[in-house]
Amino acid sequence: MWDPGKYLDYADLRGRPFHDLVARIGHPSPRRVVDLGCGPGNLTRTLALRWPGAVVEASDNSPEMVAAAREAGIDAQLVDVRDWSPREDTDVVVTNAVLQWVPEHRALLRKWVAALPSGAWFAMQVPGNLNAPSHVLLRQLAASGEWAERLRGANLRDADAVDDPIDYANLFAELGCRVDAWETTYAQRLTGPDAVLEWITGTALRPVKAALGDAEWTRFRAQLAPMLDEVYPPRPDGTTWFPFRRVFAVAKTP
């Protein structure tokens, strides 16, 4: 279950890669713009502002996120990306921090590109920090002691859940696309106590929370918090630097 409120706690920081991604899309007047994994819809609105003449199609697989997007005025639909196919007039597709949750996303990318019209743009961004200390410590704790059995089936992503920019560049190039792929590490300045724990609570820790009862969830967080503070020490002013690597690719179909 996604918590839109927790996700939006860091709306500005979470939105920056989206804006960097969309800035590289060169289509002047698309007919249909698709936001796959629209979340609470706060970023989808910017697509409508950039391309006011386009039909904006938004979807997410989380009922909570879809409800939040609809409350924000976005006509979002409940759709799993595995089941999505582009309509004939789809000229721009944006998928922001979604495909890391989908192990078969490389096959989906090939299928989607083949179905898009000539000259369409596909833009994707995924977190590239799955081997960062925050995620390594999370997986280590989940595999230890009392948690090993309770969290055995939780969808905790390994580093190979996403590829490097060159791998996505090769994938799109082999499909005949013109492609721009890159990575960026954002030095994010988080605020408040247990800052990194609170950050990953809205994303990476979601499968853990879903698998545990309230008391267990509280205990897991209490064990993880000092481990994260040791690796990401808070500054005297109460802020914490959190390096966050992101992987981007923008492709134009032949």
Side-chain angles (χ1 to χ4, degrees):
M1 178 181 296
W2 283 93
D3 182 346
K6 174 59 68 175
Y7 189 83
L8 288 171
D9 280 349
Y10 298 98
D12 289 345
L13 292 177
R14 295 195 193 280
R16 185 177 175 188
F18 177 92
H19 297 302
D20 290 347
L21 175 70
V22 173
R24 298 296 297 166
I25 299 174
H27 206 300
S29 55
R31 295 165 294 175
R32 178 178 296 272
V33 176
V34 177
D35 188 358
L36 284 180
C38 64
N42 57 307
L43 297 172
T44 310
R45 287 198 300 266
T46 68
L47 300 177
L49 291 173
R50 175 171 173 182
W51 293 294
V55 174
V56 176
E57 175 187 330
S59 63
D60 203 285
N61 73 339
S62 163
E64 296 79 18
M65 287 296 196
V66 168
R70 289 176 177 172
E71 289 178 6
I74 304 298
D75 184 22
Q77 303 300 313
L78 186 64
V79 177
D80 190 307
V81 295
R82 299 171 181 85
D83 301 323
W84 178 82
S85 295
R87 301 189 186 188
E88 292 182 356
D89 62 346
T90 300
D91 290 325
V92 171
V93 180
V94 178
T95 175
N96 181 62
V98 173
L99 297 181
Q100 72 274 14
W101 298 105
V102 186
E104 65 270 35
H105 73 266
R106 299 158 187 87
L108 289 174
L109 290 173
R110 295 183 178 92
K111 183 180 77 169
W112 292 336
V113 167
L116 287 170
S118 177
W121 291 72
F122 190 98
M124 61 170 287
Q125 181 267 126
V126 289
N129 70 332
L130 301 183
N131 207 29
S134 54
H135 289 62
V136 171
L137 291 172
L138 164 58
R139 293 193 295 266
Q140 288 177 348
L141 180 58
S144 68
E146 63 176 307
W147 308 116
E149 184 62 31
R150 290 289 288 115
L151 296 174
R152 189 177 304 279
N155 182 23
L156 300 179
R157 298 155 298 155
D158 291 322
D160 61 0
V162 301
D163 292 332
D164 287 332
I166 195 68
D167 297 310
Y168 289 116
N170 280 328
L171 184 153
F172 286 114
E174 289 166 3
L175 297 172
C177 296
R178 192 181 78 194
V179 58
D180 181 15
W182 71 99
E183 65 178 73
T184 299
T185 297
Y186 297 91
Q188 298 182 154
R189 196 172 192 176
L190 307 182
T191 60
D194 298 327
V196 174
L197 176 67
E198 294 301 328
W199 172 273
I200 66 174
T201 291
T203 52
L205 273 173
R206 186 177 60 89
V208 173
K209 184 177 182 180
L212 300 179
D214 290 344
E216 292 175 315
W217 167 239
T218 299
R219 193 162 66 252
F220 187 92
R221 279 173 49 95
Q223 293 178 19
L224 183 60
M227 298 167 65
L228 294 173
D229 282 346
E230 183 176 354
V231 178
Y232 303 100
R235 291 162 45 88
D237 64 1
T239 64
T240 302
W241 288 113
F242 181 54
F244 201 122
R245 176 176 176 259
R246 305 274 186 149
V247 175
F248 302 79
V250 177
K252 183 179 181 182
T253 61

